[in-house]
Amino acid sequence: MEMTLRWYGPGHDTVTLQQIRQIPGVTGVVSTLYDKMPGELWTQEEIHELKSVIEASGLKLSGIESVNIHDDIKTGSGRRDEYIDNYIKTLENLGKEDIHMVCYNFMPVFDWTRTDLARVREDGSTVLAYNQEIVDKIDPENFSDSIEKMSNGFVMPGWEPERLAKLKELFALYKDVSADQLFDNLVYFLKAIQPVCEKYDIRMGIHPDDPAWPIFGLPRIMTGKDAIVKLLKAVDAPFNGITFCAGSLGSNPNNDLCEIIEAAKGRIPFAHVRNLRHNFPGDFEEAAHLSSDGSHDMYKMMKTFYDTGFDGLIRPDHGRMIWGEQAMPGYGLYDRALGAEYLLGLWEAIDKAAKA
């Protein structure tokens, strides 16, 4: 297991590499070329430059989150094969730079959805939150206005201005795409990139849908154990895996997170581990990583990772905004650093108990 932190790259993150380097036990970051649009080719020179900046700080570029998928690939339309070819070349360039884990998602239109980016909790911290009643009243084509107002001036991943400007066009693009078609297009994509992934030992980790149910009439295909097992069987090769995101999968209280870890044993190259609190059906808020602060047993989750031989990358996920910090919602330094230390402490205790 390797503990990492997400870092958005030069000019895009309030958290510095020097600060991350001072978090005990964090040895690397997962990052991306944030200015790249879905479908655009990543050159080896660009990847090498990012890697060099990170390594100069004493950390390593442990993986990529994310190489985004163009909508033509997701819908199986237009220039799909051209964009897949770019993706293959990008993976080859990543492989040449000794990078072996890529996180991606196959969500239509919205990468993730929250109705509040700064819900105030009892302790005065603020967190990302979701309320289904609010979503049901929203015109999705205008939802971008709400996100922009709540983002503290930061460009939120998955909500980039270029993408938000095309919401009406995107909804039209997905109008006749069923869940079965979306799944088939995902399988087509994975089979196309399989040779380059196997040549360079690149493990692909698909991020679950967030939240883990259909919204705005759009199909969702990565929502729980059955969907994950279906994908792992459809392309039954070690390169094809999941990014286990406790926040996304845990958004649906019907999902047994430890059961999902066990079902995907050996096929989880990357894990986002965090806690959240379910307040009532359809309403949840992100919490501190500590078990007692949310609805999930973090000890049990980490022990399941340990017992199933997890050897991938792990990172604390969305943190609370605490101590007056001003940062991209969910991605400040302080609470994520606390989360990393808590998860490392659980892992050390589990490891020592197993070896005693």
Side-chain angles (χ1 to χ4, degrees):
M1 183 271 285
E2 179 186 350
M3 184 60 69
T4 65
L5 218 69
R6 189 174 189 178
W7 186 65
Y8 284 97
H12 297 295
D13 209 316
T14 58
V15 180
T16 68
L17 292 170
Q18 289 70 30
Q19 289 171 325
I20 295 172
R21 180 70 177 84
Q22 293 172 24
I23 306 172
V26 174
T27 57
V29 297
V30 287
S31 191
T32 188
L33 296 180
Y34 200 33
D35 293 321
K36 289 290 190 179
M37 297 298 293
E40 195 174 350
L41 174 67
W42 294 22
T43 68
Q44 187 176 349
E45 291 74 21
E46 291 169 324
I47 297 164
H48 183 79
E49 183 178 356
L50 175 65
K51 183 181 177 184
S52 296
V53 168
I54 293 166
E55 289 180 342
S57 73
L59 295 163
K60 66 178 179 176
L61 178 54
S62 302
I64 296 295
E65 185 181 355
S66 303
V67 181
N68 290 322
I69 310 287
H70 194 276
D71 291 292
D72 281 6
I73 299 175
K74 296 178 186 179
T75 59
S77 61
R79 299 160 61 188
R80 167 170 72 170
D81 291 329
E82 177 184 337
Y83 289 126
I84 289 178
D85 187 54
N86 278 355
Y87 209 100
I88 290 169
K89 291 174 182 174
T90 293
L91 290 173
E92 182 172 26
N93 290 334
L94 288 168
K96 288 177 180 177
E97 288 298 318
D98 200 29
I99 296 167
H100 303 286
M101 192 289 297
V102 173
C103 172
Y104 70 104
N105 79 73
F106 224 72
M107 285 178 259
V109 184
F110 301 118
D111 283 5
W112 53 272
T113 305
R114 294 292 183 270
T115 53
D116 196 336
L117 301 186
R119 180 184 286 182
V120 181
R121 306 188 79 214
E122 291 182 359
D123 62 3
S125 63
T126 61
V127 294
L128 281 67
Y130 182 95
N131 183 283
Q132 187 64 45
E133 291 183 4
I134 295 176
V135 170
D136 291 340
K137 297 174 183 176
I138 287 174
D139 175 356
E141 292 181 15
N142 296 324
F143 194 32
S144 59
D145 296 337
S146 299
I147 292 293
E148 188 174 351
K149 290 175 184 175
M150 296 186 292
S151 64
N152 290 340
F154 293 93
V155 176
M156 300 296 292
W159 295 86
E160 293 81 7
E162 299 87 353
R163 184 169 184 80
L164 296 179
K166 301 189 299 180
L167 280 184
K168 185 173 289 188
E169 178 184 332
L170 287 169
F171 270 93
L173 187 64
Y174 285 94
K175 180 181 177 184
D176 297 319
V177 178
S178 68
D180 287 341
Q181 289 170 322
L182 189 63
F183 182 85
D184 290 344
N185 294 337
L186 172 56
V187 171
Y188 181 96
F189 165 72
L190 287 170
K191 288 183 176 178
I193 66 171
Q194 183 169 353
V196 71
C197 288
E198 292 180 340
K199 178 179 179 180
Y200 289 99
D201 190 27
I202 295 173
R203 300 177 71 188
M204 300 294 296
I206 188 169
H207 192 286
D209 299 330
D210 190 2
W213 56 78
I215 59 169
F216 300 132
L218 297 165
R220 298 284 209 178
I221 57 173
M222 285 292 109
T223 56
K225 176 187 169 185
D226 291 346
I228 288 168
V229 170
K230 179 182 178 183
L231 179 64
L232 297 181
K233 287 182 176 179
V235 185
D236 194 6
F239 88 94
N240 175 34
I242 69 164
T243 293
F244 176 89
C245 180
S248 300
L249 292 166
S251 66
N252 187 337
N254 294 321
N255 280 335
D256 184 324
L257 299 183
C258 291
E259 191 176 84
I260 292 172
I261 296 170
E262 290 169 348
K265 178 181 178 180
R267 304 283 287 275
I268 305 177
F270 189 28
H272 300 171
V273 180
R274 73 166 183 258
N275 205 350
L276 53 79
R277 178 175 295 280
H278 289 277
N279 296 311
F280 51 85
D283 185 281
F284 65 84
E285 61 190 42
E286 296 175 2
H289 287 73
L290 191 70
S291 293
S292 61
D293 196 52
S295 299
H296 297 305
D297 185 336
M298 305 302 288
Y299 167 81
K300 184 179 179 183
M301 197 183 305
M302 292 296 285
K303 189 172 189 305
T304 306
F305 274 119
Y306 186 93
D307 291 344
T308 53
F310 174 74
D311 62 353
L313 308 178
I314 194 169
R315 70 167 176 82
D317 207 0
H318 296 167
R320 301 166 300 147
M321 208 58 66
I322 60 174
W323 302 336
E325 185 175 19
Q326 296 293 316
M328 182 189 296
Y331 286 100
L333 170 67
Y334 306 143
D335 202 43
R336 286 192 299 153
L338 292 175
E341 296 310 288
Y342 175 61
L343 297 176
L344 285 166
L346 288 174
W347 189 269
E348 179 181 352
I350 292 164
D351 181 57
K352 287 184 175 178
K355 293 175 178 176

